[in-house]
């Protein structure tokens, strides 16, 4: 990679499905374990209630755990996607062109004609899902890059290897 020409230059527009996929990576935890932490706690509360027995206070624990589990499912799979879709449509986020260019010692991001430059050391977290890549910088800025934006497997491999630590 040289500083004159980028090793990889991508331009893309995110669609709703890719935006939701990237949002899920950023919001629900970067690791599989953290995604399932709160549902496991709710199940644990229910199991504790079963252990205490339904005749006494245990039934309240079972009901509380079930309530938390249902509330988490509603928030994660219905409410948050609905709100995200509404905001995506309202602010027309899919119509803005975005881009990323990789150089030897820095990355340049393009959003709505504005350029931002970040050193690779400013990358806090890199994650991958089925449709997208998510890059989180030290200043808490999150960039979502769709996998369909890559022309070939070599470009995709270069991108992954650049951000994996």
């Amino acid at each position: 990679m040289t500083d004159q020409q980028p090793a990889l230059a991508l331009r893309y527009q995110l669609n709703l499905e890719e935006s939701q996929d990237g949002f899920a990576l950023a919001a629900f935890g970067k690791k599989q374990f953290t995604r399932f932490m709160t549902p496991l706690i709710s199940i644990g509360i229910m199991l504790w209630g079963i252990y205490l027995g339904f005749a006494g206070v245990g039934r309240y624990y079972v009901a509380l755990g079930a309530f938390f589990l249902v509330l988490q499912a509603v928030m994660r799979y219905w409410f948050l996607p609905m709100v995200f879709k509404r905001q995506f449509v309202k602010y027309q986020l899919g119509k803005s062109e975005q881009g990323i260019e990789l150089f030897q010692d820095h990355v340049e991001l393009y959003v709505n004609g504005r350029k931002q430059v970040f050193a690779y050391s400013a990358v806090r977290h890199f994650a991958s899902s089925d449709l997208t890549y998510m890059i989180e910088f030290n200043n808490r800025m999150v960039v979502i890059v769709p996998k369909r934006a890559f022309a070939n497997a070599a470009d995709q491999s270069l991108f992954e290897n650049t951000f994996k630590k």
Side-chain angles (χ1 to χ4, degrees):
M1 291 189 253
T2 65
D3 279 334
Q4 307 304 333
Q5 292 288 354
L8 179 65
L10 300 173
R11 294 289 187 266
Y12 54 89
Q13 291 181 336
L14 290 173
N15 60 32
L16 177 62
E17 188 178 12
E18 292 165 344
S19 295
Q20 286 177 325
D21 189 55
F23 176 74
L25 272 178
F28 295 135
K30 284 77 174 180
K31 297 179 182 173
Q32 288 294 338
F33 179 74
T34 57
R35 283 184 172 193
F36 299 109
M37 182 67 113
T38 52
L40 288 175
I41 291 171
S42 296
I43 292 171
I45 292 171
M46 291 170 58
L47 292 174
W48 178 251
I50 291 170
Y51 173 75
L52 292 176
F54 287 111
V57 75
R59 64 181 163 190
Y60 298 113
Y61 281 103
V62 171
L64 184 66
F67 174 74
F68 285 152
L69 195 61
V70 168
L71 188 64
Q72 290 164 24
V74 166
M75 288 294 291
R76 184 171 289 181
Y77 298 109
W78 177 74
F79 183 73
L80 286 176
M82 179 198 61
V83 169
F84 187 84
K85 182 178 180 181
R86 178 178 269 173
Q87 295 299 320
F88 186 86
V89 171
K90 181 178 179 180
Y91 294 108
Q92 299 178 352
L93 297 176
K95 293 184 179 177
S96 64
E97 184 182 53
Q98 301 174 28
I100 187 167
E101 292 182 356
L102 303 181
F103 291 89
Q104 185 171 354
D105 60 345
H106 67 279
V107 59
E108 294 181 1
L109 303 174
Y110 297 92
V111 179
N112 293 329
R114 294 185 335 193
K115 177 175 87 168
Q116 290 183 304
V117 178
F118 293 95
Y120 290 119
S121 60
V123 174
R124 174 185 280 178
H125 187 75
F126 175 75
S128 174
S129 67
D130 294 338
L131 300 175
T132 59
Y133 294 106
M134 189 264 319
I135 306 166
E136 181 182 3
F137 292 97
N138 288 335
N139 65 355
R140 299 276 191 192
M141 187 175 94
V142 174
V143 177
I144 300 168
V145 180
K147 288 185 176 180
R148 67 168 167 78
F150 295 95
N152 55 41
D155 289 346
Q156 193 168 358
S157 176
L158 172 68
F159 183 81
E160 287 180 4
N161 292 334
T162 300
F163 290 107
K164 285 183 180 177
K165 291 183 179 180

